[in-house]
Every structure is written in C-alpha cells, then in structure tokens.
Amino acid sequence: YLEKAQELSSWEQWRQSSRKHLKRLRDYGQERLSSLKLWRGDIHLIEGMFGTGILSYFSFLRFLVTLNFIIFLLMFSFIMLPIIIAKICFTTGGECTVYSSGVRQGLVNYHKYITDLLSGEGFLEQTYLFYGYYKVDKIHFPHITYNLALAYLLVTIGYLFLSLIWIVKRSATGFKHNLIQDEDRFQSFCNKIFAGWDFCITGDNAVKLKKKSLLCELKTDLEEEKIKQKIADRTRGEKCRLYFIRLILNLFAVGVLAACFYCIYLATSFSQKVSFIVDLINEYLPSIVITFANFITPVLFSFIINFEDYSPAFEIRFTLMRCVFMRLTSIGVLLFSLWSRITKCKEETCACGYNYEQYSCWETHVGQEMYKLTIFDFIVIVSVTIFVEFPRKLIITHNKSAMSKWLGQQEFSIPQNVLEIVYGQTICWIGTFYCPLLPAICTIKYFFIFYVKKVSLIKNCRPATRPFRASSSNFFFLGVLLIGLALACVPVIVSIAQINSSRACGPFVNYTTSWEVVPTVVSQLPSGIRTLLWSLSSEAFAISFFVLTCLAMFYVIALAGAHKRVINELREKLEMEGRDRHFLIQKLCQAQKLSGVKSSESKLQPRRSRSSPSYHTSFSSNISEAVFLAHSSPGTSTQV
C-alpha cells in the first residue's frame, strides 16, 4: 500500500511539474507573440498621450490590416497560385464569348497609364487584379483536376464566414468588458484608483504614459457621471423641448440622405453614357459624388448633434449610425444603378442573359468601380491630412488672430475616422469577388493610413474635450463593422445566385449563374454522399435545425436570466452585510464615547485601592455595553 501511495505521489508530482512547465512555456510563447504584434510600441505611446478611446481606433485599424492580409492569402493560395503554376492560355470563340477589353494598342501617352492606374482599365484590366482574367473553370494537373470555379466560390464564402466569426469573437470579448464596467460604476472607480497601477513598470517614460492613461480614464468616468446627473435633473418642459429639437434635426438628416442618394444615382447613370473631355473625371464621377457626399454629411451630422444634448458615448454611436447609413447605403445605390443597366437590354430579353453589348464582362466593370472607390478613398484621406490638417496647425501656431482662435486646434474625431475605415472595409468585402487582389491593396492602404493618422494625431490634434470610454466604443465599432459585413454579403449573394454570369470572362463561363457550379459538382459525387448533401440542403433539415437552434437559444437565455437573478441576490446580501457592519461600527463608536465619558468621571473620584487598576473595570464595562448595543435591533432587520 505504501509503495502504491509513493507511486501515486510520484505520478502526481510529475503531472504537476509537467503542468507548470507547460504553463510557463505557454506564457513565454504568449509574451513573445505579444511582443511581435504590429505597432505595439506605437499603440502604447498613443494610449499614454491620448487615452484608451483613441487607442481603440488604432487597435481597430490593426485588426483590419491582419484580416485583409489573411483574406489575400486565401485568394492567392486557392485562386491565383494554381493559374500561375499551370500557365494556361485562354481561348475565345462562340456567341457572347468575345471579351472586348480596354487594353490600349500602339503608342500610348504616359498620362494614359496614370489614368489606367487610377481607374483599373487599360493595361490593368487583363491582369490578375480583376475577375475577367480567370477565364477557365478547371485546371488539369498531371494527377489531379483542380476545379477553379468551385474554389473561387468556396473561397468567397470562406472569407466572408471567416470575417463574421472573427468579428463576433472580438465583439463578444468587448461585450463582456462592457458589461463588467457598466455594472457598477463605484467598482470601476475603486479598480482604477486602488488597483490600476502596474508595479512592473520601471522606466520613466512608461511611468508617464501610465499616469496619463489613468488620468484620461478617470476623466472619462467623471464626465459620464456629470452627464448622467445633468440628464436626471431635467424638467418635463426641458425634455419636451429637447425631443422636439431632436425630431426636427432627424427630419433634416433624412432629407440630406435622400438628396445624396439621388445625386449618386444620377451621377452613376450619367457616367455610363456620356464621355467627358477629361477621361479621368468621367471614370471617377460616381466616386467623386460619393466622396463629396461622405465628406459633407458627417460635418452636418457632427454639427447638429451638438444641439441634441446626448452623452459622449451615445453621441459617438448616433453620429456613427447616421454616417454609416449614408456611406454604406451609397455603395448600395451605386451597385443598384449599375445592375439596373447590366440586366436591361435594348430588347425586351437579353440574348446573353445580360447587357453584353455594353458590358461584355460586367464583373470586371463592377470590380473596377470598387477599385476606384478604394483608391479615391485613400487619396482623399491623405489629401485632407496634408492639405487641410497640417496648414490648420501652422496657422494656429504662427498666427494669433481672432480667426485662428475661432478655428482652434484640430480635434481627433473618432466617429469620422472609424467610419472611413469601415466604409473602406465594406468596399473591400464587396469587391474581393470581382477584384481578387483588392484585399492586398486594402492591406497596404491601411498600413499607410496608420502612420498618416499617427503623425497627424501627434502633430496636429489635441485630446477630445469630451472623453469617452474605450470598451463600449470598441464594441460598437465592431458592431458597425458587422453591419458593413452584412451589407457586403447582400450584393455578393445576389450576383452569385441571381444575375447571369458573364460568358466572355471569369471561371463561371460554362454556367448560367455562379451558384450553378455547386449542384453540378454534387451531381458527380457518389450516390451516398450526394444523398447526404441533398438531405442537409432540404427544407426538412433546415426547419429542424432552426427549431433546435431556437430551443438552444431559449435555454441559454433562461440560464442567463437565472444566473442574473442569483447575482442580484448575492449583491443584495453583500449590500445588507455592508449595512450591518456599518451599523455595528456606529454602535461601537457610541460605546467608546460613553466609556470615555465614564472614565473621565472615575478619574475625578478619589482612588480607593492601588491593587486594582481602573482600566480593567472600564474595559469590562465597555465590553458589556458594546454587546448590549450590538444586540439592540435598528429600525430595519439586520443580520449579525
């Protein structure tokens, strides 16, 4: 028995030691990986100088750089690399199969190359950049046949699903932090004041950055408490007046949005059938109108939000929602106006299934529009920083006139900057199907935008006058990005399932629609697998799965409600114990005061004996009085 116990103890010791080594190895690996994070030092510097609110924007930007790079790796590995290895020669022939691309022949002026580089036409149209280059559905290797059409469709579904899972995972983490911080504001103050310091910090610069970070967080908490107190003190007349002002301003915002959408629709239709003297203006007319609308509307919304008297956090969210609706819906209006021309022909029915005469490869044309929006968005961001923000800083620094004082130093607008990258990412998600190299372009774009915004923030901007919390804003940023992803899925799904694919270009030349490749491949599988897949795609399975999902959701909701009730009961017990302790401390203090009075009276009386000191009797009387007072019940029931 003793030998067996020793063996068990040695086995337990080995298990514990192995766990410790594995934990140390995991911690070391996580530490090394965190040190390899992109822009780690720059983000810590920004956090110390401007707080966690602006830090959330740059962390959000880093997340999008990583996401776009992974999407590019997927597109390159499964779409471009097989064609590069196989070296396929594309041939054309038959009705609706001639791709009349815009590649220029002969001697070309250099400015034409600049126009092609900015518009995606000319020499760029027949490259790996656009959908029309991949005119093959299968690639035959020596021992295997690679179905490029199926791979193209699955990779498209894969990058959208990957983006969804990643965003939801990050949103869930932010949502938990948001719940913890918003549950008890007093606990948040205590954590920051008594447990917010990092005692591992040794450098002077790190100490200064940590102090500034804690100061910004405390300012945010105090500002939010001040806003809540102001809201609570409003009278009924003030509330009615405020709601009336908000109604008028919201109607004004709706009118502005409707006017912008109508202008985008007219500009898109006008640019498709009218040639300008300057080709670049003709190519970029929809992008110019969309960018102008996106530049004007946030300024109007930021101005009118000041009269609606919201809290800083809700002000950011509401402004973002208005601008998001404007920017993302403008993309939808652009695509709707394009597809209305793609699917309509001069005759009642299109011979090729789409408007082949004007758009021989309509997917490439849509990809060019997304490419132009991406390039033009980057040009506008850099131009505003160089030609607006830097001159404003110089004017304020070297000119002390009343105009410069009225302008004031530039404030880093988080809603506007977040909206810019959400808008660009939505374009990337939509355009990746039509322009497979667009994720690589967006990765490079966001990489340069990080440094442009960092330099502009440090050199030109000042911290926000109304600080806000990073946790709730970061969660809301991801929520807005999720809305952008949902909007991006709609045109991609419509183009895959509803609109006829081009017969002159792309991997789906032999299919009516892009989705037709799936049933074609399934029909070639063995009968058992084919039956299983058809069963999984049937209505009976979909209804059963939906019912089971609803039951699981109801169970989780009920479990969460039960946990919440238990937490509330425990919190009430803790509060009751705190009140009891406070009551006992008050009674002990009263007993101590009474004992002090009696001891002073006993000192005035003559001493009768030296052998029994007076403090013994005083101490015993104090204890008896304290016990008596502790057992006396207060006005409400207490527990001891």
Side-chain angles (χ1 to χ4, degrees):
Y1 179 76
L2 292 174
E3 291 178 357
K4 188 176 181 180
Q6 288 177 358
E7 290 178 0
L8 289 174
S9 63
S10 62
W11 169 252
E12 291 294 333
Q13 288 176 3
W14 180 83
R15 286 184 61 186
Q16 291 179 2
S17 62
S18 61
R19 285 176 186 171
K20 290 180 180 178
H21 287 303
L22 288 174
K23 185 178 179 182
R24 289 175 183 173
L25 183 63
R26 186 175 66 251
D27 294 340
Y28 177 76
Q30 290 177 354
E31 183 180 354
R32 298 301 299 175
L33 286 175
S34 63
S35 64
L36 294 175
K37 278 185 178 180
L38 186 64
W39 303 316
R40 185 168 177 262
D42 296 328
I43 286 179
H44 282 316
L45 176 66
I46 292 168
E47 179 185 9
M49 295 180 65
F50 298 94
T52 56
I54 295 177
L55 164 73
S56 62
Y57 164 76
F58 287 94
S59 300
F60 188 52
L61 191 59
R62 179 173 62 184
F63 163 67
L64 291 182
V65 169
T66 309
L67 178 63
N68 285 321
F69 182 70
I70 292 175
I71 293 174
F72 162 70
L73 290 180
L74 288 174
M75 299 298 293
F76 179 79
S77 302
F78 294 99
I79 306 300
M80 303 172 207
L81 191 60
I83 291 183
I84 294 172
I85 295 173
K87 297 180 180 179
I88 297 173
C89 296
F90 306 113
T91 58
T92 58
E95 186 181 1
C96 302
T97 59
V98 179
Y99 181 19
S100 56
S101 62
V103 179
R104 307 181 192 278
Q105 304 292 334
L107 185 63
V108 181
N109 294 327
Y110 72 94
H111 65 84
K112 295 291 184 181
Y113 287 109
I114 297 176
T115 304
D116 294 342
L117 185 64
L118 294 176
S119 63
E121 297 182 352
F123 72 95
L124 284 178
E125 189 169 347
Q126 287 290 339
T127 61
Y128 292 99
L129 182 61
F130 292 109
Y131 171 94
Y133 182 77
Y134 307 91
K135 191 181 178 181
V136 60
D137 59 343
K138 293 179 181 179
I139 302 175
H140 298 281
F141 291 103
H143 301 287
I144 192 173
T145 300
Y146 188 77
N147 195 329
L148 184 66
L150 181 63
Y152 203 102
L153 183 62
L154 292 180
V155 169
T156 302
I157 298 172
Y159 80 74
L160 292 173
F161 188 71
L162 172 67
S163 302
L164 175 65
I165 296 298
W166 205 343
I167 293 171
V168 169
K169 184 178 179 299
R170 287 178 64 93
S171 301
T173 305
F175 183 67
K176 285 188 280 189
H177 288 303
N178 192 17
L179 279 180
I180 292 171
Q181 290 193 357
D182 292 342
E183 191 69 29
D184 190 357
R185 184 67 63 207
F186 180 74
Q187 182 182 359
S188 176
F189 280 113
C190 292
N191 290 337
K192 288 183 178 65
I193 294 172
F194 297 108
W197 187 256
D198 186 3
F199 290 94
C200 297
I201 295 175
T202 55
D204 294 337
N205 189 25
V207 169
K208 291 179 181 178
L209 292 176
K210 188 64 178 178
K211 285 181 179 178
K212 290 181 179 179
S213 177
L214 288 174
L215 181 62
C216 290
E217 292 181 11
L218 289 173
K219 283 182 178 179
T220 302
D221 292 337
L222 293 173
E223 182 70 19
E224 288 186 358
E225 292 297 323
K226 183 179 177 182
I227 296 291
K228 288 180 180 179
Q229 185 63 36
K230 181 181 177 182
I231 293 173
D233 294 340
R234 283 176 185 160
T235 62
R236 183 175 298 178
E238 291 176 347
K239 290 180 181 179
C240 293
R241 176 177 172 274
L242 184 61
Y243 292 153
F244 179 75
I245 292 173
R246 289 176 181 177
L247 177 63
I248 297 299
L249 294 177
N250 280 298
L251 291 175
F252 173 75
V254 170
V256 170
L257 292 173
C260 291
F261 295 154
Y262 184 68
C263 291
I264 292 169
Y265 179 80
L266 289 180
T268 307
S269 302
F270 194 63
S271 66
Q272 302 299 312
K273 58 184 179 181
V274 178
S275 59
F276 286 75
I277 298 175
V278 181
D279 293 337
L280 193 60
I281 297 178
N282 180 26
E283 294 293 337
Y284 269 88
L285 182 62
S287 302
I288 291 170
V289 175
I290 290 174
T291 304
F292 181 75
N294 293 337
F295 183 76
I296 293 297
T297 51
V299 175
L300 291 175
F301 295 155
S302 299
F303 176 73
I304 66 176
I305 199 73
N306 296 322
F307 300 98
E308 295 179 295
D309 198 12
Y310 293 116
S311 63
F314 187 78
E315 181 178 313
I316 289 173
R317 296 173 189 175
F318 197 50
T319 306
L320 261 178
M321 288 307 299
R322 284 173 171 169
C323 298
V324 161
F325 185 76
M326 169 61 213
R327 289 212 174 202
L328 301 188
T329 313
S330 64
I331 303 173
V333 173
L334 172 65
L335 293 174
F336 173 77
S337 58
L338 283 174
W339 284 339
S340 63
R341 301 184 64 81
I342 290 169
T343 55
K344 290 182 180 179
C345 304
K346 294 179 180 179
E347 298 82 8
E348 292 184 359
T349 58
C350 299
C352 301
Y354 62 98
N355 192 349
Y356 171 77
E357 295 180 0
Q358 191 171 358
Y359 305 99
S360 58
C361 183
W362 66 265
E363 291 93 345
T364 296
H365 188 77
V366 175
Q368 288 170 348
E369 292 295 333
M370 299 296 106
Y371 173 82
K372 286 185 284 187
L373 285 174
T374 301
I375 298 299
F376 197 71
D377 182 56
F378 177 71
I379 293 173
V380 168
I381 291 173
V382 176
S383 300
V384 168
T385 303
I386 296 174
F387 299 110
V388 176
E389 295 179 358
F390 276 109
R392 178 176 177 176
K393 175 66 175 179
L394 292 174
I395 291 172
I396 293 169
T397 304
H398 301 287
N399 189 3
K400 303 301 181 182
S401 63
M403 184 67 180
S404 62
K405 291 181 180 178
W406 178 77
L407 282 174
Q409 192 174 356
Q410 176 78 23
E411 185 175 315
F412 192 82
S413 176
I414 292 179
Q416 177 65 21
N417 286 281
V418 169
L419 191 60
E420 288 175 354
I421 58 177
V422 170
Y423 167 75
Q425 186 59 35
T426 306
I427 294 173
C428 179
W429 278 323
I430 296 173
T432 302
F433 180 77
Y434 313 102
C435 180
L437 278 177
L438 194 61
I441 297 172
C442 290
T443 302
I444 298 170
K445 168 189 167 183
Y446 290 141
F447 186 83
F448 284 106
I449 284 177
F450 181 91
Y451 288 102
V452 169
K453 292 296 181 181
K454 177 196 167 186
V455 172
S456 177
L457 175 67
I458 295 174
K459 300 295 184 181
N460 302 330
C461 301
R462 57 181 172 84
T465 55
R466 301 177 70 182
F468 62 95
R469 188 174 307 282
S471 59
S472 58
S473 299
N474 195 19
F475 168 70
F476 188 72
F477 297 162
L478 292 169
V480 172
L481 188 63
L482 198 60
I483 295 173
L485 177 61
L487 180 65
C489 290
V490 174
V492 174
I493 292 172
V494 169
S495 62
I496 289 174
Q498 296 293 328
I499 303 177
N500 290 4
S501 56
S502 298
R503 297 186 186 179
C505 65
F508 304 101
V509 289
N510 297 324
Y511 303 98
T512 305
T513 60
S514 302
W515 182 255
E516 192 178 343
V517 67
V518 175
T520 302
V521 172
V522 170
S523 63
Q524 299 172 359
L525 295 174
S527 59
I529 300 175
R530 186 170 63 248
T531 304
L532 176 63
L533 292 176
W534 286 122
S535 300
L536 293 176
S537 61
S538 63
E539 295 179 356
F541 178 80
I543 293 172
S544 303
F545 181 75
F546 178 73
V547 170
L548 290 176
T549 305
C550 290
L551 291 175
M553 183 179 65
F554 291 149
Y555 171 75
V556 171
I557 291 173
L559 190 63
H563 288 167
K564 188 174 182 179
R565 286 193 296 271
V566 171
I567 290 170
N568 291 331
E569 290 177 1
L570 292 174
R571 184 178 287 111
E572 290 176 0
K573 288 182 180 180
L574 287 174
E575 291 177 356
M576 187 176 292
E577 289 182 1
R579 288 195 298 266
D580 291 343
R581 289 170 184 169
H582 183 67
F583 171 74
L584 291 176
I585 289 172
Q586 286 181 347
K587 294 302 181 181
L588 287 174
C589 291
Q590 292 177 7
Q592 188 177 6
K593 289 180 181 179
L594 291 173
S595 64
V597 172
K598 289 186 177 181
S599 62
S600 61
E601 291 178 354
S602 63
K603 286 180 181 180
L604 295 175
Q605 296 178 359
R607 295 181 181 178
R608 296 181 179 178
S609 174
R610 292 179 178 269
S611 60
S612 58
S614 62
Y615 64 86
H616 288 289
T617 57
S618 174
F619 179 77
S620 61
S621 64
N622 288 345
I623 292 296
S624 61
E625 290 175 358
V627 171
F628 173 76
L629 290 170
H631 284 281
S632 61
S633 60
T636 59
S637 62
T638 58
Q639 298 175 359
V640 180

